[in-house]
């Protein structure tokens, strides 16, 4: 059988280009070659008996490298070719460089503490040092922030900045496992900082009790290797994304709603940013935040844990990440989808055609094209006190509850007429135009939508909105109704 | 080199260097790849004499490269008659440093020179050379001489 050896492999075959070997299948020929050229054994049959990763064996034009085919009888006159693989892939460059890794050391305590990381070949001492040298900013110390902050701290991330403007409320404890009952009414950022220090005192942790805006976001992320978005509203998400793109800092994005969550790695290795995926946020009020729409307790634990896992891989430059991919998890049907997401070549901030050059403190409502028309009649509203007074004084008043059935089940408004927004126009004759009508919803936003809907439908009676909705109402009356679980 | 150990170097002339850079730039954001030949007569395995661009056949050409081995076979036959022999390969890393990735190192053929170009949207940003002496040894960096 005629054999051709590529010039790149000849050193293993006594520098010969063309050879003859006896045998009519590849197994026999390999044995014969190894007998004549013992050096070739490590190429033809490496450790596990397979050809080395860099070699291909062709019979004529056909790739016969797979050992399963080595027993096949070869046609008379076939030339057997031994060629190299010419292939490779881009490296994942760790977010923490070699220089910075070399500047940190692990002491005996840390070697004990991080033993389970050190045992992993993909992490080892080098990876753990990168984690220790890393600086990460986490926006949001709520549902997603809870697992993210705890796992970053447990994994040994050296410097963590936590940004959250809110205080811990009772209803947060259902899914925000970072906080406990004793933290009620404390700023979440401070509570989170305490938890990090309980896990590991050596971590440099800063708490910022702030809402990210155009004025502060650049300084909040400056110097960070990585930013993790655990916020729960579109305004923050776009501000954080824009700042990360402008600073060139990768972003681990996560979001949860009811039973569904999504995670992605944005602005990394020339991948897409948030605006590539979602050029514009949905209109305000259309998509409830999880504070309004609800979320099942462990969902944020699942999504946040994936965010923390992605963060560690990015810091070390190992494994496959969600850059250019969006993972969607449905915990109700227990399904996951991995969607490929592409960079938008006309993205307003990260493409060659970008026209946004600084973080703008954009008006969310204007951004969505929903800013109230100047000519539009403004909606009048009652405060909780004004409404209470009206009810107590016995004035004639129609109260319309536009909330969804499951919201009403939590807390009913006694004596209110129930009309979902979708039916208002059709059922307007149930309202009396001579009597003041007050519309209520959970937060006083959908009720404005309800009033505008009726106006468009031609309803002429006086209409008012309950400012702050049922949320504002709950501390004033109904306290004996329970319900706010 | 500053260390006492003499480091081996790869030599490439300015024209060929420019040719590699252009291939990387024009292929961006995908990886480019190709084959390097040296002259048998000069018996200098460390001087690039001919550059043959290859087609990147990988499904994700932005982060991987792969040339059909049969392309190499034909190129070897063609150029052997003119007195040239393969001395290595080149490829580019778009928006990435010119260092070996795990896959690059796994698939390195011992003794061959691997030139890696770092390229971004503005053009070629650098060239580095790597070689693995033997199957068991780690790859090491070679100096690149532009002459």
């Amino acid at each position: 059988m005629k054999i051709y050896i590529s010039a790149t492999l000849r050193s293993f075959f006594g520098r010969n280009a063309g050879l003859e070997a006896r045998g009519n299948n590849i197994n026999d020929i390999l044995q014969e070659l190894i007998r004549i050229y013992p050096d070739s054994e490590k190429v033809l049959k490496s450790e596990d008996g397979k050809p080395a990763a860099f070699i291909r064996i062709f019979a004529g034009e056909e790739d016969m490298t797979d050992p399963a085919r080595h027993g096949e009888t070869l046609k008379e006159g076939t030339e057997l070719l031994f060629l190299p693989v010419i292939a490779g892939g881009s490296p994942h460059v760790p977010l923490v460089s070699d220089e910075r890794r070399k500047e940190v050391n692990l002491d005996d305590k840390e070697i004990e503490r991080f033993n389970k990381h050190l045992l992993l070949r993909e992490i080892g001492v080098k990876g753990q040092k990168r984690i220790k040298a890393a600086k990460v900013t986490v926006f949001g110390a709520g549902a997603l922030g809870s697992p993210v902050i705890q796992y970053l701290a447990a994994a040994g991330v050296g410097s963590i900045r936590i940004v959250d403007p809110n205080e811990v409320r009772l209803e947060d404890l259902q899914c925000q496992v970072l906080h406990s009952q004793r933290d009620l009414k404390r700023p979440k950022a401070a509570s989170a900082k305490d938890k990090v220090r309980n896990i590991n005192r050596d971590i440099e942790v800063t708490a910022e009790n702030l809402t990210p805006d155009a004025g502060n976001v650049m300084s909040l992320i400056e110097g960070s290797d990585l930013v993790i978005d655990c916020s729960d509203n579109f305004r923050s998400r776009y501000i954080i994304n824009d700042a990360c793109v402008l600073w060139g800092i990768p972003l681990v994005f996560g979001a949860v709603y009811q039973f569904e969550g999504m995670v992605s790695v944005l602005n990394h290795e020339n991948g897409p940013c948030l605006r590539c995926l979602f050029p514009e946020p949905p209109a305000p009020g259309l998509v409830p935040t999880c504070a309004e729409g609800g979320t099942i307790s462990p969902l944020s634990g699942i999504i946040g844990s994936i965010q923390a896992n992605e963060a560690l891989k990015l810091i070390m430059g190992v494994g496959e990440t969600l850059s250019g991919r969006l993972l969607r998890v449905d915990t109700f049907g227990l399904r996951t989808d991995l969607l490929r997401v592409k960079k938008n070549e006309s993205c307003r901030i990260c493409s060659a055609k970008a026209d946004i050059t600084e973080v703008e403190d954009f008006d969310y409502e204007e951004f969505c094209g929903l800013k109230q028309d100047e000519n539009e009649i403004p909606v009048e509203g009652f405060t909780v006190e004004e409404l209470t007074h009206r009810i107590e004084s016995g004035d004639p008043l129609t109260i319309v509850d536009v909330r969804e059935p499951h919201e009403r089940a939590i807390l009913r408004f006694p004596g209110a007429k129930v009309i979902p927004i979708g039916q208002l126009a059709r059922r307007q004759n149930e309202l009396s135009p001579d009597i003041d009508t007050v519309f209520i919803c959970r937060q006083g936003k959908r009720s404005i939508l309800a009033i505008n809907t009726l106006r468009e439908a031609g309803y002429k009676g006086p209409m008012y909105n309950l400012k702050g909705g049922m949320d504002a109402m709950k501390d004033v009356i109904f306290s004996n109704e329970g319900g706010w679980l | 080199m500053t260390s006492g150990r003499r480091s081996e170097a790869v030599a490439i002339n300015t024209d060929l260097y420019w040719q590699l850079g252009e291939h990387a730039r024009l292929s961006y954001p995908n990886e480019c790849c190709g084959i390097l030949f040296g002259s048998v007569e000069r018996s200098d395995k460390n001087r690039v004499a001919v550059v043959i661009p290859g087609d990147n056949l990988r499904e994700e050409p932005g982060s991987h490269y792969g040339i059909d081995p049969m392309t190499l076979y034909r190129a070897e036959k063609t150029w052997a008659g003119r007195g040239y022999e393969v001395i290595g390969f080149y490829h580019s890393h778009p928006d990435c440093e010119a260092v070996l990735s795990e896959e690059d190192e796994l698939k390195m053929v011992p003794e061959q020179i691997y030139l890696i170009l770092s390229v971004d949207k503005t053009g070629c940003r650098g060239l580095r050379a790597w070689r693995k002496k033997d199957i068991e040894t780690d790859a090491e960096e070679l100096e690149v001489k532009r002459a």
Side-chain angles (χ1 to χ4, degrees):
Chain A
M1 182 83 46
K2 254 181 91 177
I3 293 165
Y4 176 82
I5 310 280
S6 161
T8 57
L9 302 169
R10 279 172 209 161
S11 59
F12 301 101
F13 297 89
R15 306 259 164 219
N16 288 308
L19 307 169
E20 287 280 343
R22 275 171 301 168
N24 56 9
N25 65 42
I26 294 178
N27 274 334
D28 293 351
I29 291 166
L30 294 185
Q31 263 181 16
E32 175 86 353
L33 286 173
I34 292 167
R35 192 180 61 77
I36 307 171
Y37 307 105
D39 274 353
S40 69
E41 184 166 8
K42 57 189 172 189
V43 186
L44 299 176
K45 293 200 185 285
S46 60
E47 284 166 34
D48 47 3
K50 285 189 215 151
F54 57 80
I55 195 165
R56 286 283 174 275
I57 304 169
F58 280 71
E61 298 263 322
E62 200 172 348
D63 191 338
M64 301 277 280
T65 315
D66 183 359
R69 304 194 60 184
H70 289 183
E72 290 179 25
T73 306
L74 300 169
K75 255 192 275 170
E76 192 79 21
T78 314
E79 189 181 20
L80 211 55
L81 314 176
F82 288 81
L83 304 172
V85 167
I86 315 163
S90 278
H92 296 295
V93 178
L95 296 181
V96 175
S97 66
D98 286 344
E99 289 70 35
R100 282 174 54 204
R101 165 176 63 81
K102 286 173 189 159
E103 281 167 16
V104 302
N105 284 303
L106 302 179
D107 61 26
D108 290 352
K109 269 260 175 282
E110 286 169 315
I111 286 170
E112 189 182 342
R113 181 190 278 262
F114 301 116
N115 180 40
K116 290 193 183 68
H117 270 171
L118 304 182
L119 288 171
L120 294 170
R121 188 173 59 90
E122 293 78 1
I123 298 181
V125 175
K126 283 184 181 177
Q128 192 61 44
K129 284 184 175 179
R130 284 192 218 273
I131 295 174
K132 188 179 175 184
K135 295 177 174 17
V136 179
T137 298
V138 183
F139 284 97
L144 290 170
S146 287
V148 166
I149 292 164
Q150 290 185 90
Y151 278 122
L152 292 185
V157 170
S159 169
I160 305 174
R161 176 178 283 143
I162 301 162
V163 186
D164 195 304
N166 297 318
E167 289 175 358
V168 180
R169 295 164 305 168
L170 187 58
E171 68 171 88
D172 294 335
L173 302 184
Q174 171 257 10
C175 60
Q176 306 186 8
V177 294
L178 190 58
H179 313 293
S180 54
Q181 223 158 306
R182 68 196 317 184
D183 300 311
L184 288 173
K185 298 200 173 143
R186 286 186 68 202
K188 286 186 190 174
S191 165
K193 181 181 173 174
D194 288 352
K195 304 300 149 51
V196 171
R197 293 185 61 77
N198 284 347
I199 294 169
N200 184 347
R201 290 229 153 238
D202 296 332
I203 293 173
E204 198 181 297
V205 52
T206 45
E208 306 282 0
N209 195 12
L210 291 170
T211 305
D213 61 33
N216 64 25
V217 69
M218 294 306 258
S219 63
L220 288 172
I221 69 169
E222 187 180 4
S224 295
D225 299 302
L226 179 69
V227 171
I228 307 183
D229 181 1
C230 301
S231 66
D232 68 346
N233 63 85
F234 287 97
R235 186 179 172 277
S236 296
R237 285 173 189 150
Y238 282 81
I239 286 178
I240 294 164
N241 175 72
D242 291 359
C244 284
V245 172
L246 296 174
W247 270 121
I249 299 173
L251 174 64
V252 183
F253 170 79
V256 289
Y257 177 62
Q258 297 188 340
F259 293 96
E260 267 186 49
M262 52 171 96
V263 208
S264 187
V265 172
L266 303 172
N267 195 30
H268 180 56
E269 288 178 350
N270 209 26
C273 78
L274 184 69
R275 284 181 191 262
C276 295
L277 271 61
F278 308 106
E280 281 177 14
L286 275 189
V287 178
T289 63
C290 59
E292 295 170 282
T295 169
I296 190 165
S297 178
L299 170 61
S300 47
I302 296 167
I303 300 296
S305 299
I306 296 174
Q307 283 182 286
N309 199 52
E310 291 301 292
L312 295 177
K313 288 189 294 178
L314 290 166
I315 289 166
M316 294 184 285
V318 300
E320 291 299 316
T321 71
L322 285 171
S323 179
R325 295 181 299 172
L326 180 82
L327 177 69
R328 237 180 34 198
V329 181
D330 163 19
T331 62
F332 198 73
L334 207 59
R335 268 181 263 273
T336 59
D337 304 303
L338 196 53
L339 311 170
R340 190 163 287 277
V341 286
K342 277 192 178 161
K343 200 174 170 71
N344 176 359
E345 293 308 328
S346 49
C347 175
R348 286 194 60 204
I349 190 152
C350 77
S351 71
K353 296 172 191 158
D355 62 329
I356 301 174
T357 53
E358 58 180 24
V359 182
E360 289 161 34
D361 227 349
F362 60 87
D363 185 330
Y364 181 75
E365 310 213 335
E366 186 175 60
F367 187 39
C368 307
L370 273 212
K371 184 118 178 155
Q372 222 172 24
D373 194 330
E374 295 285 307
N375 301 321
E376 201 171 296
I377 313 151
V379 171
E380 282 184 71
F382 288 154
T383 63
V384 171
E385 290 73 22
E386 283 165 346
L387 179 63
T388 322
H389 182 73
R390 289 287 297 258
I391 294 171
E392 281 169 358
S393 62
D395 292 346
L397 189 68
T398 312
I399 297 166
V400 178
D401 188 345
V402 298
R403 292 176 303 157
E404 300 297 317
H406 66 270
E407 292 177 283
R408 291 197 310 273
I410 302 172
L411 184 56
R412 262 171 252 286
F413 196 111
K417 190 182 258 305
V418 174
I419 310 180
I421 290 182
Q423 300 175 9
L424 271 172
R426 182 155 50 84
R427 292 171 61 183
Q428 57 173 290
N429 56 353
E430 295 177 29
L431 305 174
S432 163
D434 307 327
I435 299 174
D436 287 350
T437 306
V438 183
F439 292 82
I440 58 169
C441 67
R442 166 113 194 239
Q443 291 187 322
K445 286 176 188 154
R446 275 174 292 166
S447 49
I448 296 178
L449 185 65
I451 293 171
N452 287 329
T453 308
L454 270 177
R455 267 192 193 144
E456 261 178 50
Y459 182 77
K460 293 280 186 271
M463 295 186 284
Y464 301 89
N465 160 48
L466 172 60
K467 287 177 184 166
M470 291 296 279
D471 275 0
M473 200 83 200
K474 69 182 182 198
D475 293 330
V476 180
I477 49 169
F478 307 123
S479 56
N480 59 339
E481 292 236 347
W484 286 98
L485 304 170
Chain B
M1 296 297 278
T2 47
S3 69
R5 202 154 48 94
R6 205 179 117 260
S7 163
E8 284 192 77
V10 184
I12 181 164
N13 72 35
T14 313
D15 282 352
L16 292 175
Y17 186 95
W18 182 82
Q19 203 180 319
L20 293 181
E22 279 299 281
H23 191 200
R25 188 179 67 83
L26 295 170
S27 305
Y28 181 89
N30 291 336
E31 292 195 18
C32 74
C33 48
I35 307 164
L36 308 169
F37 284 85
S39 163
V40 177
E41 200 177 312
R42 290 178 66 161
S43 78
D44 186 353
K45 292 271 287 178
N46 290 339
R47 171 169 285 279
V48 180
V50 180
V51 168
I52 308 289
D55 289 329
N56 185 356
L57 301 176
R58 293 287 284 266
E59 272 179 35
E60 292 178 323
S63 56
H64 295 86
Y65 80 96
I67 302 178
D68 181 1
M70 291 305 286
T71 306
L72 174 74
Y73 171 67
R74 291 184 202 105
E76 277 189 13
K77 292 241 151 170
T78 309
W79 288 88
R82 301 175 197 174
Y84 295 96
E85 198 171 272
V86 189
I87 57 167
F89 307 97
Y90 72 92
H91 71 278
S92 63
H93 282 171
D95 296 312
C96 234
E97 286 176 49
V99 295
L100 292 166
S101 69
E102 257 174 71
E103 187 185 345
D104 288 343
E105 195 160 355
L106 177 77
K107 293 179 176 169
M108 262 180 134
V109 181
E111 293 186 17
Q112 300 302 302
I113 294 163
Y114 285 79
L115 294 183
I116 305 181
L117 296 110
S118 168
V119 62
D120 67 16
K121 58 187 167 190
T122 65
C124 178
R125 302 301 302 266
L127 172 72
R128 290 168 76 173
W130 305 85
R131 180 161 59 192
K132 203 184 220 178
K133 278 247 165 72
D134 203 348
I135 294 180
E136 292 87 6
T137 56
D138 286 340
E140 52 189 57
E141 183 163 7
L142 306 174
E143 197 188 336
V144 180
K145 277 192 190 154
R146 286 167 65 175

